């Protein structure tokens, strides 16, 4: 258990011109669960490998608590860092039992057997210690991998895409279980995922990365309420993103002018997103369009409305409607936009 700080970390792999990471700054609190979120190739695994000690940065420092693990004159090797890792494929030894996998390389003493009992209990594998990995389900194998990390009382546990080999139902269960075990043991944990829903579900804070840079760090709520830029907004699933211009509290774009009562005193060129729940189909609406498609999702109806802009371009807006509404493809509709459901950022 430890806080972790990366300062100004840059990394280029041998023979590569491109930086895999550029000036990354991160601070993770003791006992915090954070997730590195971003598209494939953005530098998530590289960040984990630098923290674990499998890679050396070109520049920058890494600190666990008050101890420098990496600086100009220091490079603590991986086995001395007290880092636990849980890999996507669990990396269990097939010819070793659960007990042997968990205790691999540890001294077989009294202390081990008492630790083993408590860790097996914690990950709900008591009674299965003599089984081989091939005799376990995917979820159980993952618990072995977690137990193997936990029994060493690591300062931090790193998880690289740990749920991607599990099917959807099991994934939801396992992520709940793993988060509760991490919280129970007060461990500091860093997850990597490219799945925004997963990141939001498990993390105290999310670190959104793109192209070797950190784009935004915040709680799931902060990131959803105020994505810092268009990339973050798109990546976390915002729709209806448009270019606009603000002048005297009026947001103007291709298809309408909206009085936004500009609380943040923004002006000039901006990007903005209208939440799907902020577009309401109603007869009094000031805008008109045509229903292009509808998808029924039980709690809501997702409707795409095609709208013709001043420049005669067709624009699709997505909105969520009451599923009992009788809307058909081709229907002409009127709709309005709720200014409180607009998120704006400077680009
Ligand atoms: P992510 O985990 O987010 O998918 P990575 O950290 O694996 O991304 O990769 C970041 C960048 O570094 C990518 O451009 C990738 O191609 C490159 N990269 C990763 N590992 C190596 C390596 N061993 N040698 C050269 N380039 C690498
Ligand atoms: Mg990766």
């Amino acid at each position: 258990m430890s806080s972790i700080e990366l300062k100004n970390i840059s990394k280029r792999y041998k023979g590569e011109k491109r930086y895999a990471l550029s000036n990354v700054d991160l601070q993770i609190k003791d006992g915090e669960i954070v997730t590195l979120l971003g598209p494939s190739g953005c530098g998530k695994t590289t960040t984990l490998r630098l923290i674990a000690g499998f890679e050396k940065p070109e520049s920058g420092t890494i600190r666990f608590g008050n101890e420098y693990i990496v600086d100009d004159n220091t490079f603590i090797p991986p086995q001395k860092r007290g880092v636990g890792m849980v890999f996507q494929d669990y990396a269990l030894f097939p010819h070793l039992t659960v007990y042997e996998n968990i205790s691999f390389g540890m001294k077989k003493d009294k202390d081990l057997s008492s630790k083993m009992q408590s860790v097996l209990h914690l990950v709900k594998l008591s009674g299965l210690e003599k089984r081989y990995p091939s005799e376990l389900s995917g979820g159980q194998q993952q618990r072995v991998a977690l137990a193997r990390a936990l029994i060493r009382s690591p300062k931090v546990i790193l998880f690289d895409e740990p749920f991607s080999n599990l099917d959807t139902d099991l994934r939801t269960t396992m992520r709940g279980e793993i988060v509760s075990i991490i919280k129970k043991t007060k461990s500091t944990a860093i997850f990597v995922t490219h799945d925004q829903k997963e990141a939001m579900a498990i993390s105290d804070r999310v670190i959104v990365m793109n192209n070797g840079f950190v784009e935004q760090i915040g709680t799931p709520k902060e990131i959803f309420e105020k994505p810092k830029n268009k990339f973050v907004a798109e990546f976390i699933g915002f729709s209806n993103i448009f270019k606009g211009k603000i002048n005297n509290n009026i947001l103007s774009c291709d298809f309408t002018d909206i009085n936004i009562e500009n609380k943040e005193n923004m002006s000039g060129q901006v990007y903005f997103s209208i939440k799907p729940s902020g577009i309401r189909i109603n007869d009094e609406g000031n805008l008109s369009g045509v229903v292009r498609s509808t998808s029924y999702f039980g709690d809501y109806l997702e409707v795409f409305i095609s709208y013709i802009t001043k420049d005669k371009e067709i624009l699709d807006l997505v909105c969520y409607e009451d599923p009992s509404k009788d809307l058909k493809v081709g229907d002409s509709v009127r709709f309005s936009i709720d200014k409180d459901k607009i998120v704006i950022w400077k680009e």
Side-chain angles (χ1 to χ4, degrees), residues 269-294:
Q269 301 286 348
V270 294
Y271 277 101
F272 68 100
S273 165
I274 310 164
K275 298 201 169 157
S277 56
I279 296 178
R280 292 261 77 104
I281 296 177
N282 61 80
D283 292 342
E284 288 79 47
N286 58 324
L287 297 161
S288 59
V290 174
V291 173
R292 188 173 65 74
S293 73
T294 63

Side-chain angles (χ1 to χ4, degrees), residues 108-120:
K108 308 279 182 287
D109 55 14
K110 242 200 196 150
D111 187 37
L112 175 67
S113 47
S114 79
K115 268 193 199 158
M116 182 65 83
Q117 289 322 311
S118 73
V119 101
L120 284 170

Side-chain angles (χ1 to χ4, degrees), residues 161-175:
E161 309 258 3
F163 307 112
S164 43
N165 281 349
L166 302 173
D167 57 39
T168 317
D169 281 352
L170 189 57
R171 193 182 301 186
T172 315
T173 318
M174 281 311 294
R175 81 186 174 207

Side-chain angles (χ1 to χ4, degrees), residues 219-245:
T219 62
K221 188 163 183 270
E222 283 164 355
I223 289 181
F224 262 116
E225 283 180 358
K226 209 104 198 75
K228 205 165 159 191
N229 53 37
K230 186 161 172 267
F231 172 82
V232 175
E234 275 174 343
F235 199 75
I236 61 171
F238 275 48
S239 37
N240 301 325
I241 297 179
F242 305 103
K243 235 182 171 149
K245 206 174 172 181

